[in-house]
Amino acid sequence: MLPLMPENSSSDKDLVEVKCPECGEVVRVPFEKAEREMRARCPRGHDVPLVKALF
């Protein structure tokens, strides 16, 4: 299995950016956290699954 790499792997502060499916708010999560937890929480408290965003 190949490790997941962000599109812009230029620094260790890479972010995954997705839109919340419920409210459309932009959610930014550090790549390492996104890869580890496979989910994020938008600023309005909605749970955002990240599986599709990372692949």
Side-chain angles (χ1 to χ4, degrees), residues 18 21 38-40 47-53:
V18 295
M38 297 303 252
R39 68 179 212 177
D47 191 40
V48 180
L50 298 174
V51 176
K52 293 180 182 178

Side-chain angles (χ1 to χ4, degrees), residues 13-18 26-42 48 50 54:
K13 295 181 182 178
D14 293 318
L15 297 176
V16 173
E17 185 175 289
V18 295
V26 175
V27 179
R28 292 177 185 90
V29 181
F31 182 78
E32 294 80 20
K33 182 178 178 181
E35 186 177 39
R36 183 176 59 249
E37 296 179 10
M38 297 303 252
R39 68 179 212 177
R41 190 161 301 273
C42 89
V48 180
L50 298 174
L54 295 176

Side-chain angles (χ1 to χ4, degrees), residues 7-22:
E7 290 180 19
N8 56 351
S9 58
S10 60
S11 76
D12 60 339
K13 295 181 182 178
D14 293 318
L15 297 176
V16 173
E17 185 175 289
V18 295
K19 283 189 177 180
C20 175
E22 297 211 20

